[in-house]
Amino acid sequence: MKVSALIPVKGFRNAKQRLSPLLGAADRELLAEAMYRDVLSEVTRARGLEATFVVTGNNRVAEIAAAMGAAVIREPSETGETGAVDLARLELIRAGREAVLILPGDMPLVRASDIEQVLSHVPVQAAAPFALLVPSHDRLGTNALLLAPPDVIKLRFGYDSFSYHMSQVSALGLALRFFENEAIGLDIDEPQDLRRFLAIGRDDGETYPLARQLMTAAESRTRRLGGA
């Protein structure tokens, strides 16, 4: 079975607003772009993928994707993650793609080997519909979905998406397949996610040194304000 990767990415302006207690808008924009670059770099390095696609309505995101060797599926306008992925899945089906691995662009721990671990679960022959899920670390979100065909289940991203996707798999009578992966499980949404990432300390991408710099500056500001 041939698998294509799909990464939905919004524009970086006003990104990661749940990090606003810690980081200003400009810092969040830098962080979102660094995470996207790191994820895309690792996905395009992973062995076993037929192709990598980025779905976006943003010119900057599309330029980075093209420069890093990914194909771009353009949204007419940004409609949210679920809408973007649904649009892209239709495009992939029209293009005859057998299976899709959907990944967010904000998992700075992920490495090519993690992607390859997911792909190792793919059946050689697409004899029956197939779905494999990887939850977020809190088991509320869904941080990876491997689907064959690409539209085998309905999707709904956001709070408690993992339970929703598991229920979709069960409703169709598909074999229930999921596993946990620490790197894929950690997406950066909340300040505690960023602290957890820094504590693990993988510094072989763009995100870690930038996040460390931004966190140090944020902590310094907090100390100054506290002492005022």
Side-chain angles (χ1 to χ4, degrees):
M1 184 191 301
K2 295 179 179 179
V3 181
S4 297
L6 175 63
I7 307 172
V9 184
K10 296 189 297 184
F12 308 123
R13 187 183 297 273
N14 298 319
K16 296 297 169 186
Q17 294 193 26
R18 281 183 278 172
L19 292 175
S20 57
L22 192 64
L23 303 176
D27 290 345
R28 300 196 311 272
E29 185 172 343
L30 290 172
L31 182 64
E33 180 170 339
M35 290 193 292
Y36 165 52
R37 286 180 176 276
D38 282 348
V39 171
L40 184 56
S41 175
E42 295 298 325
V43 172
T44 55
R45 285 180 52 236
R47 295 169 296 180
L49 287 168
E50 182 180 25
T52 298
F53 294 85
V54 172
V55 57
T56 187
N58 181 267
N59 290 335
R60 174 63 177 161
V61 173
E63 289 168 2
I64 293 170
M68 296 181 70
V72 178
I73 298 174
R74 292 301 300 256
E75 284 187 280
S77 61
E78 292 186 344
T79 59
E81 188 174 6
T82 303
V85 170
D86 284 345
L87 179 148
R89 291 197 295 168
L90 287 175
E91 290 294 322
L92 295 177
I93 290 167
R94 291 190 190 106
R97 303 289 174 171
E98 292 181 304
V100 63
L101 173 60
I102 303 165
L103 300 157
D106 60 352
M107 304 181 302
L109 287 178
V110 77
R111 297 296 179 265
S113 58
D114 299 301
I115 306 303
E116 291 162 7
Q117 182 188 12
V118 178
L119 295 175
S120 70
H121 292 79
V122 176
V124 176
Q125 299 294 331
F130 175 86
L132 174 71
L133 283 62
V134 183
S136 59
H137 66 91
D138 57 9
R139 284 207 172 190
L140 292 176
T142 312
N143 283 13
L145 295 112
L146 178 56
L147 306 176
D151 62 348
V152 64
I153 62 171
K154 293 180 180 179
L155 300 181
R156 187 188 70 196
F157 294 100
Y159 180 77
D160 206 19
S161 67
F162 184 63
S163 292
Y164 176 81
H165 294 142
M166 292 277 278
S167 70
Q168 290 295 304
V169 171
S170 297
L172 289 175
L174 302 179
L176 199 55
R177 298 180 175 95
F178 74 94
F179 70 93
E180 298 184 62
N181 175 291
E182 180 183 43
I184 294 174
L186 184 62
D187 54 334
I188 308 300
D189 288 317
E190 308 279 354
Q192 61 265 31
D193 299 330
L194 190 57
R195 294 187 179 98
R196 183 172 180 174
F197 165 64
L198 289 171
I200 294 172
R202 290 188 182 177
D203 59 356
D204 52 344
E206 293 185 29
T207 306
Y208 183 87
L210 174 63
R212 174 56 65 196
Q213 175 187 339
L214 297 177
M215 181 67 80
T216 300
E219 291 171 344
S220 178
R221 287 193 299 271
T222 299
R223 285 194 297 271
R224 288 199 305 271
L225 292 171

